[in-house]
Amino acid sequence: MQSLGGYGRIVVKIGSSLLVEKNKLKRDWLESLADDLADLSRAGVEIIVVSSGAIALGRGVLGLPPGALKLEEGQAAAAVGQIELAQAYEEIFAARGMITGQVLLTLRDTEQRRRYLNARATVGTLVRLKAVPVINENDTVATTEIRYGDNDRLAARVATMISADCLVLLSDIDGLYTAPPADNPLAAHIPLVERITPEIESMAGVAASELSRGGMKTKIEAGKIATESGTTMVIASGKRLHPLRAIDEGARCTWFTAHSTPATARKTWIAGQLKPSGQITIDNGAERALRKGKSLLPAGVTEVSGSFQRGDTVCIMGADGREIGRGLVAYDCDDAMRIIGHKSREIETILGYAGRAEMIHRDDMALKDFG
């Protein structure tokens, strides 16, 4: 039996059908979840919440009828519901000593390079400051072309973006079965999935309710995203009170095994799957610092070449011309050239804005092992 308390950073995804009933917030359920999250937080676990429910709440406030909504109606419902949802999280979490911060994302925020880096930095800073990010898809502006359409895959992208080591998908079903149990009474529960194969994918059904855009299919897709990036995933029932506590107490659920750690997966991706857009040459002192696990500061850079933008992959070259690693650069090439050799505190004076202290952060860097 796995314990959530054994993980360092957890993303918890909450479906609309768990949080909202008859267009009203299930406050007692959210309070029980907040109790569970507060317990995990006190145990040192960093928490990120991905929450559905804004449209479902907003349509109740606006008196919209049941059934499919027009795009503009859904966006209006989301605008009203996001306020309702944020207020509920703030009140309930504050009563348990937790600060919350709302983050609204679209597909582009996790797929486009600059937006991805900005979103990652915002969520990471909230976590570092001991706040709980409450993330939702920004349905007030998202259209079919720029939306996820379900929060399962959004939660998986968030988990990989911020290097979480566990993703919890709270659902109206207690895990994966060999067939949709509502249709097949002989369907068997699967407690552990070590690898998502075509056979596993074929077991997924369709959306379970009007409030849910996803279903088991999107949860399996989320599992592929998460586990391939080093994040363990669990699908568990959220229909009971204290759903996270129930997982730790052995309630039925399905665990999906990660193929590596988040840090290893990210560095492998940086090292081998991206085409470098330029080179950054560093001095011997900077190389020694990088070998000790430090970030690359502008002061240690001696030369910049190529044409790259912030977030692109660049080769890190030693003073002797060897490629010693690769990383995601924090500046466009023109700005990088202007600050090389300078102290980080001088960046704002040189560029006219307060950029990042690091040219390449250690988390965004993969070094070669020269033995």
Side-chain angles (χ1 to χ4, degrees):
M1 184 177 70
Q2 299 190 56
S3 169
L4 295 177
Y7 293 97
R9 178 175 289 182
I10 293 177
V11 174
V12 179
K13 180 265 176 178
I14 305 164
S16 291
S17 61
L18 303 178
L19 194 60
V20 180
E21 188 172 43
K22 296 180 180 178
N23 297 332
K24 298 291 185 182
L25 181 73
K26 295 165 65 175
R27 195 175 182 93
D28 58 341
W29 183 88
L30 185 56
E31 288 180 343
S32 79
L33 177 70
D35 288 339
D36 293 352
L37 292 174
D39 288 342
L40 287 171
S41 180
R42 282 191 289 269
V45 180
E46 296 174 337
I47 305 294
I48 298 92
V49 173
V50 175
S51 177
S52 303
I55 292 178
L57 285 176
R59 73 187 298 162
V61 175
L62 295 173
L64 294 170
L69 297 174
K70 296 177 181 178
L71 174 62
E72 60 271 22
E73 291 175 333
Q75 291 174 329
V80 172
Q82 282 167 1
I83 293 177
E84 294 279 313
L85 198 59
Q87 183 177 6
Y89 273 107
E90 193 281 327
E91 290 178 354
I92 291 172
F93 280 51
R96 290 153 180 82
M98 293 185 289
I99 301 169
T100 54
Q102 185 185 55
V103 181
L104 300 177
L105 300 176
T106 66
L107 176 64
R108 290 176 178 171
D109 293 321
T110 60
E111 301 300 318
Q112 291 185 354
R113 178 181 58 251
R114 285 177 177 269
R115 294 187 181 191
Y116 172 95
L117 291 173
N118 288 334
R120 184 170 181 263
T122 298
V123 175
T125 301
L126 284 169
V127 171
R128 178 172 56 81
L129 296 174
K130 309 301 182 184
V132 177
V134 179
I135 299 170
N136 194 3
E137 183 155 21
N138 194 353
D139 289 307
T140 60
V141 298
T143 61
T144 302
E145 293 77 16
I146 62 169
R147 76 184 312 159
Y148 275 95
D150 68 88
N151 273 355
D152 294 322
R153 287 176 294 178
L154 173 61
R157 286 295 186 199
V158 168
T160 61
M161 180 176 72
I162 53 106
S163 300
D165 46 9
C166 184
L167 168 62
V168 181
L169 299 184
L170 293 178
S171 176
D172 50 9
I173 190 171
D174 56 5
L176 177 66
Y177 286 75
T178 53
D183 302 329
N184 186 346
L186 299 179
H189 180 265
I190 302 173
L192 176 65
V193 175
E194 294 185 349
R195 187 168 293 273
I196 298 175
T197 62
E199 181 183 9
I200 293 295
E201 292 185 74
S202 70
M203 297 174 185
V206 297
S209 70
E210 175 186 295
L211 293 180
S212 174
R213 296 193 192 126
M216 191 55 65
K217 184 176 186 297
T218 64
K219 289 173 175 56
I220 297 301
E221 291 173 358
K224 291 169 66 177
I225 294 169
T227 56
E228 289 172 5
S229 298
T231 302
T232 296
M233 189 180 86
V234 57
I235 300 173
S237 174
K239 297 175 75 172
R240 57 172 64 87
L241 296 179
H242 299 289
L244 301 182
R245 183 187 303 170
I247 294 173
D248 282 347
E249 292 174 350
R252 176 181 285 186
C253 57
T254 300
W255 288 91
F256 294 76
T257 303
H259 303 161
S260 63
T261 66
T264 300
R266 180 171 175 79
K267 290 182 183 294
T268 299
W269 172 66
I270 291 171
Q273 298 185 16
L274 297 174
K275 182 179 179 180
S277 300
Q279 294 184 352
I280 290 180
T281 302
I282 65 176
D283 60 30
N284 291 327
E287 180 174 351
R288 288 193 294 271
L290 298 192
R291 296 291 179 195
K292 294 178 180 178
K294 304 294 185 181
S295 297
L296 176 59
L297 304 180
V301 178
T302 59
E303 186 180 350
V304 169
S305 62
S307 178
F308 54 83
Q309 294 182 309
R310 177 175 175 244
D312 282 348
T313 304
V314 295
C315 294
I316 304 170
M317 311 298 293
D320 58 1
R322 296 172 305 149
E323 180 183 327
I324 65 172
R326 296 184 179 186
L328 307 183
V329 66
Y331 289 93
D332 294 347
C333 56
D334 290 344
D335 285 348
M337 289 179 183
R338 294 171 62 190
I339 62 175
I340 61 174
H342 290 277
K343 301 291 187 183
S344 296
R345 63 176 178 269
E346 300 176 272
I347 292 175
E348 185 170 5
T349 301
I350 296 170
L351 300 181
Y353 66 90
R356 302 193 189 283
E358 308 88 1
M359 185 78 79
I360 301 176
H361 193 277
R362 62 184 181 183
D363 292 343
D364 295 330
M365 185 187 308
L367 300 180
K368 292 187 175 182
D369 184 4
F370 294 111

